[in-house]
């Protein structure tokens, strides 16, 4: 945690058309970094624009037919276009790349992270599934290769920042993750039965993709962040607490053995944590709005409502159960969120389906392939369950 990589200049961005990806491009441009590779799922128009602007050597569309379309569109440029998982992994291991920012959504992100780490690339991580599902294998590879795994998520970045200057003996008593509480803060389970997709997509403080916005509404997002924090910072679940902080000004905290608590604050703007991951350990000027505490007057804090939002405790249980259970929880949740977005299930069914994944009997994983196998098994099972739900 204390060695410092050299200045990072050549950057690969996986998920460049998403919310994190587009902001990362803005940050990288300001920092004067060279973009050597870009990847997206299927937004051909935007990826084409990005290729024309940033002139990477290689570009990938995860969707093969989108890759074929992109190849035609940029035939006038010296850019190598690939598709699929092979493309993502090739991009993540490009010999020119110093750092890979992984902001793809979903399990698709795990293999490219492992490929990048194994190829000795520093990774700025915004893909949750990498650590939630593959934590043990990814952290093993990070230790073996000595690369930096730098958090992009605002909460983990805050903790990482509060750990700078941490004594070699660590002396960490507790990590405290802040949660905005999402759009349904203060509602009871009964009230949550009838909320709509439009309601769930109204996040009070952050503008993010659909999957993560729904996860914020169920608070599964905070549960997944708890699992990630455990892996990133080597903490057991009992030493990670969650506090609801409505204003999203304090991004998370670290409590040391002397009961001193360090917090990282700022206006909610993802460009700050993205930039810190890219420029670490340096700090450059950032276009994010300055924090003026006097404009806020009151910052509020609440204990999380684990009855209305059981997802946080489900994640804690999955982490305690270990092995494949966090991956199973994540897989069931991802399918359930998709079904909710498609209008097939109600809001509270998301967490109920996620809970069922923890009732399965799962073997101890011997390799990361077992994680992928469990992931697809749980997905199948969850889809079948949804089919029976009318
Ligand atoms: Mg977050």
């Amino acid at each position: 945690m204390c060695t410092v990589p050299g200045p990072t200049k050549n950057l690969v961005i996986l998920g460049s058309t998403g919310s994190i990806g587009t902001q990362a491009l803005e940050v990288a441009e300001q920092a004067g970094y060279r973009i050597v590779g870009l990847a997206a799922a299927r937004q051909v128009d935007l990826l084409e624009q990005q290729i024309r602007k940033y002139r990477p050597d290689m570009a990938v569309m995860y969707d093969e037919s989108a890759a074929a379309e992109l190849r035609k569109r940029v035939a006038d440029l010296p850019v190598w276009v690939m598709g699929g998982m092979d493309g993502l992994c090739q991009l993540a291991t490009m010999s020119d790349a110093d750092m890979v920012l992984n902001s793809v959504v979903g399990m698709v992100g795990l293999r490219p992270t492992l490929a990048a780490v194994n190829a000795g690339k520093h990774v700025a991580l915004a893909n949750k599934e990498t650590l939630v599902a593959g934590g043990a294998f990814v952290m093993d590879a990070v230790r073996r290769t000595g690369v930096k795994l730098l958090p992009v998520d605002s909460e983990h970045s805050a903790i990482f920042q509060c750990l700078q200057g941490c004594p070699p003996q660590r002396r960490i008593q507790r990590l405290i993750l802040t949660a905005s509480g999402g759009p349904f803060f203060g509602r009871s389970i009964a009230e949550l039965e009838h909320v709509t997709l439009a309601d769930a997509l109204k996040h009070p403080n952050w503008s993010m993709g659909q999957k993560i916005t729904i996860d914020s509404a169920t608070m599964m997002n905070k549960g997944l962040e708890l699992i990630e924090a455990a892996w990133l910072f080597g903490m057991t679940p009992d030493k990670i607490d969650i506090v609801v902080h409505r204003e999203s000004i304090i991004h998370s905290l670290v409590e040391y053995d002397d009961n001193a608590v360090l917090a990282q604050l700022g206006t909610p703007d993802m460009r700050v944590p993205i930039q810190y991951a890219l420029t670490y350990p340096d700090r450059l000027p950032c276009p994010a709005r300055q924090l003026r505490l006097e404009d806020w007057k009151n910052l509020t804090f609440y204990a999380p409502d684990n009855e209305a939002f059981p997802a946080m405790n489900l994640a804690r249980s999955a982490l305690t159960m270990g092995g494949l259970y966090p991956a199973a929880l994540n897989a069931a949740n991802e399918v359930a969120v998709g079904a909710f977005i498609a209008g097939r299930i109600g809001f509270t069914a998301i967490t109920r389906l996620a809970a069922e994944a923890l009732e399965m009997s799962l073997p101890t994983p011997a390799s990361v392939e077992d994680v992928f196998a469990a992931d697809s098994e749980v997905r199948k099972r969850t889809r079948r369950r949804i089919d029976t739900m009318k």
Side-chain angles (χ1 to χ4, degrees):
M1 189 134 286
C2 289
T3 54
V4 172
T8 321
K9 292 283 178 239
N10 288 348
L11 193 64
V12 164
I13 299 180
L14 308 178
S16 66
T17 56
S19 163
I20 297 290
T22 50
Q23 295 180 79
L25 279 169
E26 190 189 321
V27 166
E29 189 179 356
Q30 283 231 335
Y33 292 164
R34 196 165 93 79
I35 306 298
V36 295
L38 291 173
R42 61 185 67 80
Q43 288 196 56
V44 180
D45 289 343
L46 185 50
L47 192 60
E48 181 190 351
Q49 280 174 32
Q50 292 176 345
I51 291 169
R52 295 198 178 275
K53 181 164 183 194
Y54 296 101
R55 300 300 171 111
D57 302 317
M58 185 177 171
V60 171
M61 298 250 63
Y62 182 60
D63 182 281
E64 296 280 1
S65 59
E69 171 65 20
L70 182 71
R71 207 170 281 124
K72 276 188 254 163
R73 299 243 204 127
V74 296
D76 59 314
L77 297 176
V79 58
W80 183 32
V81 177
M82 279 188 75
M85 182 55 75
D86 275 0
L88 289 180
C89 290
Q90 288 253 7
L91 198 67
T93 57
M94 278 178 82
S95 59
D96 267 2
D98 302 307
M99 177 179 263
V100 176
L101 183 140
N102 187 351
S103 59
V104 309
V105 179
M107 272 298 278
V108 153
L110 175 52
R111 278 189 207 277
T113 300
L114 274 170
V117 171
N118 284 324
K121 312 294 182 192
H122 300 299
V123 174
L125 189 64
N127 169 259
K128 290 216 148 74
E129 292 72 12
T130 287
L131 288 176
V132 169
F137 300 102
V138 172
M139 294 314 288
D140 260 2
V142 166
R143 271 186 292 270
R144 207 174 52 243
T145 57
V147 301
K148 283 263 149 205
L149 187 61
L150 297 152
V152 167
D153 205 351
S154 61
E155 293 80 359
H156 304 98
S157 175
I159 290 171
F160 182 61
Q161 293 180 58
C162 294
L163 289 174
Q164 302 304 312
C166 161
Q169 307 88 334
R170 286 180 36 109
R171 312 289 191 209
I172 306 163
Q173 195 153 256
R174 185 165 67 115
L175 306 181
I176 305 163
L177 290 171
T178 53
S180 70
F184 302 139
F185 171 74
R187 302 217 195 169
S188 65
I189 308 185
E191 289 167 325
L192 290 176
E193 287 292 341
H194 304 290
V195 298
T196 65
L197 175 62
D199 296 333
L201 287 175
K202 280 182 208 130
H203 195 277
N205 302 337
W206 298 100
S207 155
M208 307 173 290
Q210 278 200 342
K211 160 72 167 54
I212 184 170
T213 304
I214 302 302
D215 281 346
S216 297
T218 61
M219 298 202 68
M220 181 60 88
N221 183 51
K222 210 48 56 180
L224 300 178
E225 287 180 358
L226 184 145
I227 298 173
E228 288 181 277
W231 286 114
L232 268 173
F233 306 116
M235 300 294 283
T236 48
D238 56 307
K239 301 229 163 159
I240 309 173
D241 283 341
I242 295 169
V243 67
V244 174
H245 164 43
R246 294 295 285 158
E247 296 79 13
S248 298
I249 294 298
I250 298 181
H251 300 306
S252 280
L253 315 90
V254 175
E255 181 184 79
Y256 287 95
D257 281 354
D258 55 0
N259 286 342
V261 178
L262 299 195
Q264 188 261 332
L265 288 73
T267 51
D269 189 320
M270 284 308 293
R271 289 173 298 186
V272 178
I274 291 168
Q275 177 168 299
Y276 192 65
L278 299 187
T279 64
Y280 171 82
D282 205 356
R283 288 185 185 271
L284 302 182
C286 183
R289 207 155 43 85
Q290 248 183 328
L291 175 63
R292 297 181 58 85
L293 283 170
E294 62 273 32
D295 292 345
W296 288 88
K297 309 248 183 343
N298 295 301
L299 297 180
T300 57
F301 305 93
Y302 305 84
D305 182 349
N306 286 309
E307 209 177 306
F309 303 98
M312 291 171 282
N313 278 341
L314 287 177
R316 214 181 269 283
S317 303
L319 185 60
T320 308
M321 291 161 82
L324 294 168
Y325 286 96
L329 178 75
N330 172 70
N333 179 63
E334 198 172 317
V335 171
V337 168
F340 174 68
I341 291 173
R344 300 191 59 206
I345 61 170
F347 181 75
T348 50
I350 300 173
T351 314
R352 279 199 299 276
L353 285 162
E356 288 180 14
L358 301 189
E359 289 157 19
M360 293 174 71
S361 151
L362 298 167
T364 303
S367 83
V368 75
E369 295 312 318
D370 294 339
V371 175
F372 290 108
D375 175 78
S376 61
E377 179 55 38
V378 174
R379 275 166 208 268
K380 255 187 266 165
R381 204 186 127 118
T382 308
R383 280 191 207 101
R384 277 202 303 269
R385 278 284 292 129
I386 291 168
D387 289 339
T388 66
M389 293 169 83
K390 85 169 180 210

